[in-house]
């Protein structure tokens, strides 16, 4: 029985990752571990935290309805999203990690974010990356 | 019927990509398009070219033996590997692209190569990235 770890944030790139993860879970007969990571502290205000909670409840409802075995982990332990995702993937012996990518183009140049780069280079398993719709 | 495009070079990262691509082709009931891309010109001497040809023949033999429908494209048309891979993926309406990653660490820093970054950001479909064994 396979396990897929998916990085989720309530943004376009997180939604793209979750959609693909649901498809892959069905294809592989795998279960999903949805990881939402926040460093915590000043970055995570009360309103934002409540907003994330309601998004995660909605995610659980969607996956339940789709008949996909899943678990949602909301991690606020002072680690970067890349560190959280990699440590969960190692813990559950994930078959693949799925992440969403957003183009970052502060000066017109396309680059990958540092979290995405770190996950790709340090993951204990293959990483499936999907771009958010633009 | 799905199609997987895989970037192949006769190096550790190309072998890692090809192994994973063969597994994914079986899982998805998909066919493989193996893309070996060289810019050509000075970069590709006669000896290196012959070496690549013999590797590609071996690849074809392995895929045939594994019962995986495949096609090998050896492209020498002055384009970067990223451009070649993306154009083939668009042409065949690939479901996914599979690439191998190598850590590059000239000054001890881990970075993704520019071809990998470009493929991840510009691919017309999700990209599955696997690291070469170290």
């Amino acid at each position: 029985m396979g396990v897929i770890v998916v990085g989720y944030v309530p943004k376009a790139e997180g939604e793209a990752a979750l959609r693909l993860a649901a498809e892959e879970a069905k294809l592989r007969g795998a279960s999903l571990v949805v990881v939402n990571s926040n460093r915590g502290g000043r970055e995570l205000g009360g309103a934002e935290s409540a907003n994330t909670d309601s998004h995660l409840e909605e995610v659980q409802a969607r996956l339940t309805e789709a008949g996909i075995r899943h678990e949602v982990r909301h991690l606020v332990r002072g680690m970067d999203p890349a560190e959280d995702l990699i440590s969960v993937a190692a813990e559950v012996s994930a078959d693949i990690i799925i992440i969403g990518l957003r183009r970052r183009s502060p000066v017109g140049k396309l680059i990958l974010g540092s979290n995405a780069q770190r996950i790709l280079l340090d993951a204990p398993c293959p990483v499936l990356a999907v771009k958010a719709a633009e």
Side-chain angles (χ1 to χ4, degrees), chain A:
Chain A
M1 178 69 192
V3 182
I4 295 170
V5 168
V6 56
Y8 177 76
V9 283
K11 294 177 186 169
E13 60 267 34
E15 291 298 331
L18 191 67
R19 262 196 307 278
L20 183 59
E23 289 173 19
E24 291 291 321
K26 290 198 164 180
L27 176 71
R28 298 167 190 269
S31 63
L32 276 191
V33 180
V34 180
V35 176
N36 175 256
S37 167
N38 289 97
R39 283 190 72 85
R42 283 173 307 173
E43 283 185 31
L44 190 68
E48 194 188 334
S49 177
N51 185 36
T52 297
D53 286 346
S54 80
H55 274 288
L56 291 179
E57 280 171 29
E58 193 190 308
V59 164
Q60 291 198 282
R62 277 157 55 191
L63 293 174
T64 300
E65 194 178 351
I68 295 167
R69 285 194 298 157
H70 65 277
E71 165 190 346
V72 173
R73 298 197 192 183
H74 187 182
L75 304 177
V76 185
R77 48 185 193 180
M79 290 162 78
D80 286 327
E83 291 173 298
D84 274 331
L85 217 54
I86 288 168
S87 76
V88 171
E91 182 202 323
V92 303
S93 299
D95 295 295
I96 54 170
I97 294 174
I98 299 183
I99 60 172
L101 301 180
R102 186 168 45 124
R103 288 161 177 263
R104 289 165 195 244
S105 179
V107 290
K109 202 185 166 194
L110 301 178
I111 53 164
L112 278 178
S114 60
N115 268 300
Q117 293 209 24
R118 182 132 180 241
I119 293 164
L120 287 157
L121 289 168
D122 291 341
C125 59
V127 177
L128 182 59
V130 59
K131 277 178 299 178
E134 282 165 55

